[in-house]
Structure formats: C-alpha cells, structure tokens
Amino acid sequence: MPVPGKKLFKKLYYARSHLTQTQFIAYGFMGIILAGTLLLMLPASSRTGEASSFLNCLFTATSASCVTGLVVYDTWSHWSLFGQLVILTLIQIGGLGFVTIGVFLSIVLRRRIGLKERGLMQESVNTLQIGGVVRLAKKIVAGTALFEGVGALLLAIRFVPEYGPGRGIYYSIFHSISAFCNAGFDLMGCQAPYNSLVGYYNDWLVNLVVMSLIIIGGIGFIVWDDLSRHRLHFRRYMLHTKIVLLTTLVLTFGSAWLFYRFESGNLLVGMDVSGKILTSLFSSVTARTAGFNTLDTGTLTDASKMLTVILMFIGGSPGSTAGGVKTTTIIVMYLHLWSAIQRTYGVNAFGRRLEEDVLKRASAIFMVNLTLALTVSLFIMATQRYPVMDVLFETFSAIGTAGMTTGITRGLNGASRLAVAFLMYCGRVGSLSFALSFTQHKKVARVQQPVGRITIG
C-alpha cells in the first residue's frame, strides 16, 4: 500500500538535492519573506487588531528580511508588539543569514556538518575558502551577540530614563539589533511618525553607539576573523581586509566633510559646531545601507541627495550585514582603471596582483545593480509623477538595502512597490547571484565563436 505523500516527499527531496548553492540561498530568502508576510498579515500583528493588506505586509517583510528599512507603515504606530517582534526576528535572520544560523544550530545540536553545508556557508558569507567556515559560524554568532548586547546596554543609558525600564530596555535591544544588521527600522514613531533618530541629532551617546554598530556590522565577517587573529598588525592582514578598512575610513570621513559643506547653508544652520560635526558623520555612515537618519532626508540639498545615492550604491563590504555593490567592487574597478591608464600588466594593490576573474565579477555586479536601479526608476517615473532625484533616491536605496527615503515610499502604487521590493530582494541576495541562480545548470559550449574586433573609446 503506497504511503500518502511519499511521491511528493521524494520530489521535494530531489529538488532540494539538485539546487545549486546560489539557488538554495535565493529560494531560502523567498521562503523567509513569505513566512514573514503571512505572520504580519495576522490580526495580532497590527495595533488595531485588523489584518494588514498582503502587498504592504510583503513589502515590510521583504524590507526587514533584506535589512533595508523602507516602510509603508510607521513601525511603532502600526505594528503591535507581536508584529514588531516578527520584524525584529526577520531583521536578525536577514542580517546574519539563515545559513549561518542553521550551521550554528547544527553545531549546538552536535549534528554533523557535511561538505554541502560548508559550501553553503562559504557562499552565504562570501568567505575566500571553505576551510574554517564552521569556526567562522561560531565566531559570527558570538560576535553578533556581544556587539548587539553591548550596544543595547549603552543605549539603555539613554532610553531607560526616558521611556522607563521595560520599554527602555526593549527599545535598546530593538535599535541595537536594527543598527548592527544595518536594517534602519526604528520605534521612534512614539515621538512622531517616521521620525527615525531626528530627535537625537545632537546626542553623542546614541549617535556614536548606532554609528559603531553600523560600521562593525558593515565591514564584514571575514574582516572580523582577520582582525581577531592578527589584532593591530596591519601588515599581517589579508589584502581583502586592508582594502575594506582603508575604503571604509576614506568613505566615512570624506563623505562627512562633503555633507558638512553641502548642508552648511541648509539643514545645519542653527546648530553648534559639535552638532554639525556629529550630524555630518552620522549622515555619512548611515547612507551606506543603514537607513537611520538624524536629518529630514526629504529636505536635503540636491548635492547631498546625490552624494547619498552614491554612498547607498557602494554600500558596505562583502560578507557583512550591509548591502550595495560593496566597497571591494568599487576599488577593484578603480584599480583596473588606474592600471589601464598606466598600461601596467595586471591589477595590483599592496604588493599583490588581483585574480583575473575578480574584475569580471566586479564589472558584472556593478552593471547589473546599476541597470536594475535605473530600469525600476524609469518604470516608476513612467507610472507616477515624482521628482527624478527622489525616484533615484528610492530605487538606489532599495538596491543598496539602505532604507533611506525622501518620503515617496508610502505614495508608490502597487506595481511600483512590487518593483522596489524586488530591488530590495536582489540587493540582499545579490543581483548577480540572483541572475546566476537561473543559469548555473546551463552547460558551456565547447566550441567558441570566431573572434571579432570592435573599437572602444
């Protein structure tokens, strides 16, 4: 007698076993987003006790799982405690990656971790080699707990006296996790809807804690591992770590100086020097995929908006909680440009020559992200009337999982929201990885086409 569902089980197992690593991660995030959507649609998730619409729940679940921060509802005003906890859980899973969490649980349960699971872990956090990924998973979870815990304790110094013990501790934990995961979700709608951290623009404690969590989460787990092994010995760092640290330093302080110049006659008017410096630094750090803001983003000058778009597009570093095309991608392209200008063989940095395949991958990521963002921008402008800069701000924020907005998110129609949600998904999974998930089973033809010549430049 046939066992009910046995054939279906066999089909599902066969499909799972024949998925590539990229496909498994891409479909896994889809499953998490769908589960989050269904939970947010429950009447218990909203303050009013009424079910929220599927499209808005899908958008919110995508934004949380992809650690973006774009919202159609104010998180505090619309969602109940249960809904907020669902969002917070999605943020934590999206920040660490469900593969990392799965591997860690396997370690706790003392289950054997096979080569396939190790390969998934390597793909998930973009490590350079498969060896040591189990140790790295332990370090990621332990480091996350440490940084988020310390961040929550420091934020509690400010939030507990202001909101009381229970609410203050909860707010501290929520914002610490959101900041570390570069998610940008906040509960400051209790002060004013969609307020983010504007009320703390001159608070050094809140700003420094949030900025530190954003940077630590955004430099990448590979860099963590390298720093923990070699401490402050810069010469011993991997090439990857050196590039990430120097690029992060230049982008942070260089962009802060530009924000200071661009907004000195606008939003910074009336602030003391301390407030201007702090606000400029925060604007520089949060633009690279964090999503918080201490200034009214909609009233930024066009120069500041353009700078923010560039920073959102660059994003954080590989194998981190941040999005964007990543710092290493931009540096590789500029190094290749410099090599072409100097007419030198290969692309070199810190006494090392980069692999030939790195430039091909960097160029592909850059062009795919740029094409997706511009395509969705044109689509939105063709269906709705918004200023060009505001639309570009929205789409580059989505593809870079930055979560910053000039305020047009809530006014987008259904089709535009789906398009923006798709950008957020691609930004978290990786636009190139998403494209590869459809092509990795295709066989490469052994016969190559004849060489043709074209003129460049």
Side-chain angles (χ1 to χ4, degrees), residues 195-210:
N195 198 45
S196 192
L197 298 178
V198 172
Y200 299 92
Y201 78 93
N202 60 348
D203 189 313
W204 279 88
L205 174 63
V206 173
N207 278 258
L208 288 178
V209 171
V210 172

Side-chain angles (χ1 to χ4, degrees), residues 391-420:
V391 174
L392 290 174
F393 201 98
E394 191 81 6
T395 55
F396 277 86
S397 175
I399 194 70
T401 68
M404 301 189 72
T405 179
T406 57
I408 72 171
T409 307
R410 300 183 298 278
L412 296 176
N413 58 34
S416 296
R417 287 187 186 181
L418 284 175
V420 171

Side-chain angles (χ1 to χ4, degrees), residues 19 31 46 90 103 114 141 149 151 172 174 192 212 250 255 284-285 296 305 318 321 336 341 392 411 425 442:
L19 288 177
S46 69
L90 293 175
V103 170
V141 175
S172 301
F174 189 100
S212 298
V250 171
S255 300
S284 171
V285 172
D296 183 0
K305 287 181 181 178
T321 60
H336 181 74
I341 292 173
L392 290 174
Y425 172 77
K442 291 186 177 180

Side-chain angles (χ1 to χ4, degrees), residues 110-126:
R110 297 184 178 181
R111 292 181 57 187
R112 180 178 175 274
I113 300 173
L115 188 61
K116 185 173 182 177
E117 288 76 16
R118 293 170 190 265
L120 280 170
M121 181 67 186
Q122 181 188 15
E123 179 72 20
S124 177
V125 298
N126 288 324

Side-chain angles (χ1 to χ4, degrees), residues 20-27 123 429 433-434 436-437 440:
T20 64
Q21 294 172 355
T22 306
Q23 288 173 334
F24 185 84
I25 293 171
Y27 298 153
E123 179 72 20
V429 175
S433 296
F434 180 73
L436 287 174
S437 67
Q440 282 190 343

Side-chain angles (χ1 to χ4, degrees), residues 49-125:
E50 298 177 357
S52 303
S53 70
F54 171 77
L55 180 58
N56 289 338
C57 290
L58 175 65
F59 190 95
T60 304
T62 304
S63 183
S65 302
C66 300
V67 289
T68 304
L70 291 174
V71 295
V72 290
Y73 297 130
D74 179 73
T75 307
W76 183 86
S77 303
H78 181 81
W79 302 110
S80 65
L81 177 61
F82 175 75
Q84 292 169 15
L85 291 176
V86 170
I87 290 172
L88 191 62
T89 303
L90 293 175
I91 289 172
Q92 190 71 87
I93 294 173
L96 288 181
F98 69 92
V99 175
T100 302
I101 296 174
V103 170
F104 180 75
L105 289 176
S106 296
I107 295 171
V108 173
L109 297 174
R110 297 184 178 181
R111 292 181 57 187
R112 180 178 175 274
I113 300 173
L115 188 61
K116 185 173 182 177
E117 288 76 16
R118 293 170 190 265
L120 280 170
M121 181 67 186
Q122 181 188 15
E123 179 72 20
S124 177
V125 298

Side-chain angles (χ1 to χ4, degrees), residues 274-389:
S274 175
K276 290 180 180 179
I277 293 174
L278 187 59
T279 303
S280 300
L281 271 173
F282 192 90
S283 298
S284 171
V285 172
T286 193
R288 293 179 49 236
T289 87
F292 295 101
N293 59 281
T294 55
L295 293 174
D296 183 0
T297 312
T299 56
L300 290 170
T301 62
D302 285 342
S304 293
K305 287 181 181 178
M306 191 66 215
L307 175 60
T308 304
V309 167
I310 293 171
L311 292 174
M312 290 190 297
F313 186 68
I314 295 172
S317 300
S320 71
T321 60
V325 298
K326 305 298 190 294
T327 52
T328 49
T329 297
I330 297 298
I331 293 302
V332 165
M333 296 191 69
Y334 273 110
L335 287 173
H336 181 74
L337 172 63
W338 181 247
S339 176
I341 292 173
Q342 289 192 315
R343 301 190 178 217
T344 57
Y345 175 75
V347 180
N348 305 304
F350 294 103
R352 294 289 186 271
R353 182 170 56 84
L354 301 182
E355 298 172 315
E356 296 294 334
D357 190 56
V358 170
L359 176 64
K360 184 186 295 185
R361 186 173 178 84
S363 302
I365 291 172
F366 184 93
M367 288 307 301
V368 171
N369 278 35
L370 183 63
T371 301
L372 284 172
L374 293 179
T375 300
V376 174
S377 296
L378 291 172
F379 172 76
I380 294 175
M381 287 186 283
T383 56
Q384 295 185 266
R385 297 197 174 192
Y386 285 116
V388 174
M389 183 54 70

